[in-house]
């Protein structure tokens, strides 16, 4: 297995976990933002997932060399099923772009909206971003009383 193929698997696995966590949330909690004393910039589950979709789509475009479309920000998500489908699809786009890279692309420097970085680092951003936000979804679940572990079927 190539390094690119390994990264592609990690991206799709992270998307499956994030989608599973989101789909486990009750509808009334999808847009919920807890009121925590002293906390700043807390966000809803749907907002976190929308950011991941946006990031995945942007990075897939960068890696594939496509001219990026105008940045319209994070997508507007209607419900958890649609959001989960979009996170899986955006991760599949990134995974396909990663699989299509040659080894030279790993040393190429990409300019993102947050920093310039070599391809070998950029390839890890979608997976780490989704895992980070999955942890935030897990915290939201704990705050409203859901202490169950939610895992997708990886087969």
């Amino acid at each position: 297995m190539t390094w690119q193929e390994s990264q592609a698997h990690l991206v799709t696995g992270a998307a499956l976990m994030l989608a599973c966590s989101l789909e486990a949330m009750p509808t009334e909690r999808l847009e919920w933002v807890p009121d925590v004393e002293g906390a700043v910039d807390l966000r809803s589950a749907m907002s976190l997932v929308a950011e991941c979709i946006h990031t995945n789509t942007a990075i897939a475009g960068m890696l594939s060399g496509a001219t990026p479309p105008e940045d319209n920000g994070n997508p507007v998500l209607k419900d958890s099923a649609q959001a989960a489908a979009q996170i899986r699809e955006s991760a599949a786009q990134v995974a396909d772009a990663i699989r299509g890279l040659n080894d030279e692309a790993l040393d190429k420097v990409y300019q993102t909206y947050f920093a310039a970085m070599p391809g070998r680092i950029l390839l890890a951003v979608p997976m780490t971003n989704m895992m980070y936000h999955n942890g935030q979804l897990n915290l939201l679940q704990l705050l409203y009383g859901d202490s169950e572990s939610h895992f997708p079927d990886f087969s």
Side-chain angles (χ1 to χ4, degrees), residues 85-135:
Q86 283 190 25
I87 195 64
R88 289 188 296 266
E89 174 56 32
S90 68
Q93 291 172 9
V94 174
D96 287 345
I98 291 170
R99 286 184 186 101
L101 295 175
N102 59 30
D103 288 345
E104 289 76 36
L106 302 177
D107 293 323
K108 178 181 173 182
V109 175
Y110 295 85
Q111 182 60 52
T112 71
Y113 59 89
F114 46 88
M117 62 187 71
R120 74 173 79 58
I121 302 300
L122 182 62
L123 268 57
V125 169
M127 184 269 301
T128 57
N129 189 48
M130 286 186 287
M131 295 300 287
Y132 172 77
H133 288 307
N134 188 48

